[in-house]
């Protein structure tokens, strides 16, 4: 279980920057010089408030819903190490936030060229790269995605990698569906998966699953 968040000490931040929070907590005895500082932003959307994490170069590292913040923390901890990331909340908008706002405003193509960076295993990164190749308005099954990456018997492993994707929406794991075209489990909830696919114009062949 993730350690509780703490408030970092230090000088008062400028008005546009909130107090730094160790969302991915530093472990006791860790060297304070060993962590990286990422930026945390919030954006209200029709699916609920989302959290946007970018690195020092403003490259996107994580996107998740505010009500799933503990999961985002766990994924950051898993991918970067315990105590390796500190988040500074800011009101200064990044290009990633602007692109996500445009997406929710109906400019679906706005996310296509958005730069992202992830940790994870080679297999996970292969799956996440393949997710970005799924065209807007289309879906693929877990087995179909496994075949696309040259691992046709690895549908279950593809599903696990899908669930470990730290960058929701932009790395579109919501476009992966069950072999029977049902909306199977999605970290943000099946209702949100339904909304995203409807927003992108793909629901005619997809049935809303009765449970996640």
């Amino acid at each position: 279980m993730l350690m509780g968040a703490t408030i970092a000490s230090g000088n008062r931040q400028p008005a546009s920057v909130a107090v730094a929070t160790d969302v991915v907590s530093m472990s006791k005895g860790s060297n304070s010089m060993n962590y990286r500082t990422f930026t945390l932003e919030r954006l209200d959307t029709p699916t609920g408030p989302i959290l946007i994490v970018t690195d020092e170069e403003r490259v996107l590292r994580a996107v998740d819903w505010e009500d799933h913040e503990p999961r985002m923390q766990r994924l950051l901890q898993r991918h970067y190490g315990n105590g390796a990331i500190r988040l500074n909340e800011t009101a200064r908008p990044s290009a990633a936030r602007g692109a996500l706002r445009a997406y929710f405003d109906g400019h679906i193509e706005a996310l296509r060229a958005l730069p992202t960076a992830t940790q994870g295993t080679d297999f996970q990164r292969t799956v996440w790269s393949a997710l970005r190749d799924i065209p807007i308005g289309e879906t693929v099954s877990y087995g179909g995605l496994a075949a696309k990456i040259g691992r046709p018997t690895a549908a279950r492993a593809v599903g696990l990698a899908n669930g470990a994707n730290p960058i929701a929406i932009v790395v579109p794991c919501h476009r992966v569906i069950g072999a029977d075209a049902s909306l199977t489990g999605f970290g943000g909830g099946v209702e949100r998966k339904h909304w995203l696919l409807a927003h992108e114009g793909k629901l005619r062949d997809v049935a809303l699953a009765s449970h996640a």
Side-chain angles (χ1 to χ4, degrees):
M1 185 174 181
L2 189 67
M3 297 168 58
T6 59
I7 303 299
S9 60
N11 295 332
R12 185 178 181 84
Q13 300 293 326
S16 63
V17 181
V19 177
T21 303
D22 292 329
V23 178
V24 180
S25 305
M26 295 173 60
S27 58
K28 291 182 179 179
S30 64
N31 186 334
S32 62
M33 298 300 292
N34 290 337
Y35 64 79
R36 297 179 64 182
T37 299
F38 288 173
T39 298
L40 173 67
E41 300 171 273
R42 300 174 190 270
L43 176 67
D44 288 332
T45 81
T47 63
I50 61 173
L51 305 173
I52 304 162
V53 176
T54 52
D55 64 20
E56 305 92 334
E57 313 260 326
R58 305 292 266 190
V59 173
L60 190 60
R61 294 281 180 161
V63 175
D64 213 330
W65 281 270
E66 196 173 78
D67 56 342
H68 290 287
E69 184 172 358
R71 181 188 62 197
M72 184 187 78
Q73 294 176 4
R74 286 194 300 272
L75 288 175
L76 287 172
Q77 185 181 42
R78 184 184 304 165
H79 293 161
Y80 298 98
N82 184 37
I85 301 297
R86 179 162 125 167
L87 299 184
N88 264 357
E89 188 162 352
T90 181
R92 192 176 306 150
S94 65
R97 187 181 187 278
L100 280 157
R101 170 173 279 176
Y103 169 86
F104 281 105
D105 284 345
H107 303 287
I108 310 299
E109 299 278 348
L111 304 181
R112 185 179 294 278
L114 198 60
T116 63
T118 56
Q119 298 285 77
T121 66
D122 290 343
F123 180 80
Q124 286 174 329
R125 290 196 298 271
T126 296
V127 172
W128 299 336
S129 178
L131 289 173
R132 296 204 77 182
D133 290 336
I134 303 172
I136 294 168
E138 295 188 19
T139 55
V140 65
S141 68
Y142 293 97
L145 188 59
K148 283 179 183 293
I149 65 171
R151 298 284 298 275
T153 62
R156 180 175 174 79
V158 163
L160 292 173
N162 218 44
N165 169 31
I167 309 178
I169 307 170
V170 178
V171 178
C173 49
H174 61 276
R175 293 179 193 159
V176 184
I177 61 175
D180 61 354
S182 64
L183 298 190
T184 53
F186 175 60
V190 173
E191 292 79 10
R192 284 176 173 144
K193 185 169 186 170
H194 184 273
W195 191 97
L196 292 170
L197 291 175
H199 186 57
E200 295 175 357
K202 176 64 179 180
L203 274 182
R204 290 187 302 273
D205 304 320
V206 179
L208 177 59
S210 60
H211 56 82

